[in-house]
Amino acid sequence: MDKPAFASRAVHGCQGHDPHTGALSFPIYQTSTYVNAEDDWPYCYSRVQNPTREELEKTVALLEEGDYGFAFASGLAAVLAVFSLTKAGDHVLISDDVYGGTYRLIEQIWRRYNIDFTYVDMGDLDAVKAAFRPETVMVFIETPTNPMMKVADIAAVSALAGEAASRPLVVVDNTFLTPYYQRPLTLGADIVLHSATKFLAGHHDTTAGLIVTKGDALAESMRLFLKTEGTGLAPFDSWLTLRGIKTLPLRMDKHQANAVAAAEFLQNHPKVEKVYFVGLPEHPGYAVSQKQASGFGGMLSFSLKSSAGAEKVLRGGDMILFAESLGGVETLITYPMTQTHASIPKDVRDKMGITDRLLRLSVGIEDTGDILRDLEKMLALAGD
Ligand SMILES: *Cc1c(COP(=O)(O)O)cnc(C)c1O
């Protein structure tokens, strides 16, 4: 058989079933240690490796078209592993509206170790080029960004990194689009990472992080960080993530179809000022997105004309829930200013457009009409 298509790889995983018993659902190997039956036995201790985690790691490597996968206890544990590649004196370029938790990891922890970070608009290639220094070892891209949905050209930024004297590694946080829509390693990136908590696991029932690398050297480093920092994903959560991945293509298509409908509805609503959704042809990142990704995903943000009533809108849904997080089957509405981006100082937030009028939707896979009706009901509570 030719290489199976993405949907088949998502369903069948790496081994798919248990080679020892034939169990069709890959088992949850709930163990901390292993009897060493032979010399060179592949498993010794579950912090180091566990078969359920290994199946997930190999599955995500297949989906991202990379060489090696690594599964962490959360997306931020994966970001921590990536930052662990740096040492004192190094410099990192990073997207300017990066995920709030990544920002906090940089500002409150990583800066203590004398590593410098510069926030840049990754969509502005001149700004990226101007920001390189001799000690720049990494370019960390989020695309599309959260919550402003800015798009970076992964191939173009990777090419700039390839020309820079210090040959920085290119890392892409691919949480929003998943490998179903975007595969950064095929566009020139060296490392791709995920909060698998979101679309990959997909059901708001676990937290997980994933990394996929190219080449043996980076894999050695990741293996060292994972086993030494003790950040590996537990067997049950590995199984939940594997189970979620089986339906990833179906879910993403429905998330996206509903997001397109919601974006068009919001655009025409009198209380909405602006809609930020990559799938709208007037979005500044639309063309780049069409070039590098096969879809736009299920995330959008929108600003209200007035901040009056914003709190009522958030809690006004019958079905749409006011909660942090994204990427699960349920539609969630978030207030970035007080939730995901609360740790970012107000002046920085204002500059980014994260105001008291900005709301973010993670569009779920419910009935399209029900989502639009609930949005209508919620927006009736907004001020003029
Ligand atoms: C949620 C998120 C993270 C952090 O992942 P956790 O699983 O919450 O630790 C990182 N990047 C992006 C884009 C996210 O949405």
Side-chain angles (χ1 to χ4, degrees):
M1 188 172 158
D2 293 340
K3 183 177 156 194
F6 188 94
S8 309
R9 278 180 276 149
V11 169
H12 289 280
C14 177
Q15 297 193 66
H17 58 274
D18 178 30
H20 304 299
T21 63
L24 185 58
S25 166
F26 199 88
I28 303 164
Y29 283 91
Q30 192 62 48
T31 188
S32 64
T33 190
Y34 305 84
V35 177
N36 286 203
E38 294 163 18
D39 288 348
D40 295 332
W41 195 249
Y43 305 102
C44 60
Y45 188 54
S46 275
R47 171 157 45 70
V48 180
Q49 191 50 296
N50 172 282
T52 316
R53 192 170 86 209
E54 188 174 30
E55 172 68 7
L56 170 61
E57 293 176 340
K58 290 185 169 166
T59 296
V60 71
L62 280 175
L63 298 181
E64 284 285 6
E65 300 184 36
D67 295 327
Y68 298 97
F70 303 89
F72 297 84
S74 68
L76 276 182
V79 178
L80 172 71
V82 163
F83 288 171
S84 298
L85 289 163
T86 64
K87 60 180 187 336
D90 284 347
H91 173 241
V92 176
L93 291 184
I94 189 156
S95 298
D96 58 358
D97 63 340
V98 74
Y99 175 72
T102 302
Y103 179 87
R104 186 173 58 223
L105 182 61
I106 292 168
E107 295 303 320
Q108 296 192 22
I109 298 182
W110 223 252
R111 281 209 194 269
R112 291 185 207 170
Y113 306 126
N114 190 25
I115 293 142
D116 200 9
F117 292 81
T118 303
Y119 299 98
V120 285
D121 178 353
M122 291 284 175
D124 180 347
L125 293 173
D126 292 331
V128 174
K129 204 168 174 178
F132 282 114
R133 299 184 202 157
E135 61 276 14
T136 306
V137 295
M138 184 181 290
V139 182
F140 188 111
I141 307 170
E142 219 178 276
T143 183
T145 59
N146 173 21
M148 301 314 292
M149 309 296 156
K150 291 200 295 194
V151 174
D153 185 331
I154 297 170
V157 175
S158 300
L160 287 180
E163 289 161 16
S166 57
R167 289 301 179 104
L169 291 171
V170 175
V171 182
V172 176
D173 182 334
N174 201 26
T175 299
F176 272 29
L177 290 186
T178 82
Y180 179 56
Y181 284 142
Q182 177 169 276
R183 289 181 288 284
L185 298 179
T186 68
L187 298 166
D190 302 288
I191 299 175
V192 57
L193 79 85
H194 287 275
S195 169
T197 311
K198 317 292 170 54
F199 291 102
L200 287 172
H203 295 74
H204 294 136
D205 54 11
T206 181
T207 66
L210 293 167
I211 282 178
V212 181
T213 59
K214 277 194 296 204
D216 292 344
L218 280 173
E220 289 278 300
S221 300
M222 289 303 151
R223 210 168 277 130
L224 172 74
F225 301 148
L226 192 147
K227 78 174 179 194
T228 308
E229 296 178 335
T231 46
L233 190 61
F236 181 57
D237 300 277
S238 298
W239 183 84
L240 279 172
T241 307
L242 272 170
R243 176 162 142 141
I245 285 174
K246 289 177 192 287
T247 56
L248 178 70
L250 284 174
R251 285 185 290 107
M252 291 309 288
D253 284 340
K254 182 69 175 165
H255 281 297
Q256 170 160 295
N258 280 345
V260 169
E264 286 170 356
F265 169 83
L266 291 167
Q267 248 191 336
N268 294 314
H269 198 283
K271 295 201 179 158
V272 172
E273 178 192 58
K274 187 163 180 197
V275 177
Y276 302 84
F277 177 58
V278 183
L280 294 171
E282 59 270 33
H283 186 283
Y286 185 81
V288 170
S289 179
Q290 287 234 304
K291 187 182 71 168
Q292 69 185 7
S294 57
F296 308 107
M299 297 300 301
L300 63 90
S301 298
F302 61 99
S303 55
L304 297 168
K305 284 190 179 145
S306 159
S307 60
E311 301 270 357
K312 287 191 195 131
V313 173
L314 289 161
R315 292 195 173 82
D318 290 329
M319 184 180 78
I320 297 176
L321 306 167
F322 176 32
E324 216 158 336
S325 200
L326 61 105
V329 289
E330 296 91 356
T331 300
L332 300 184
I333 189 160
T334 304
Y335 207 19
M337 180 185 78
T338 62
Q339 293 179 311
T340 50
H341 291 67
S343 54
I344 297 179
K346 184 171 181 309
D347 56 320
V348 180
R349 275 200 317 255
D350 285 347
K351 224 174 76 193
M352 287 165 24
I354 304 174
T355 66
D356 58 358
R357 291 184 291 118
L358 187 82
L359 311 181
R360 189 191 75 188
L361 267 187
S362 171
V363 185
I365 65 167
E366 302 97 332
D367 177 77
T368 316
D370 286 341
I371 293 173
L372 300 188
R373 271 187 293 280
D374 219 19
L375 283 174
E376 179 81 72
K377 176 172 180 274
M378 293 157 78
L379 285 169
L381 305 168
D384 292 311

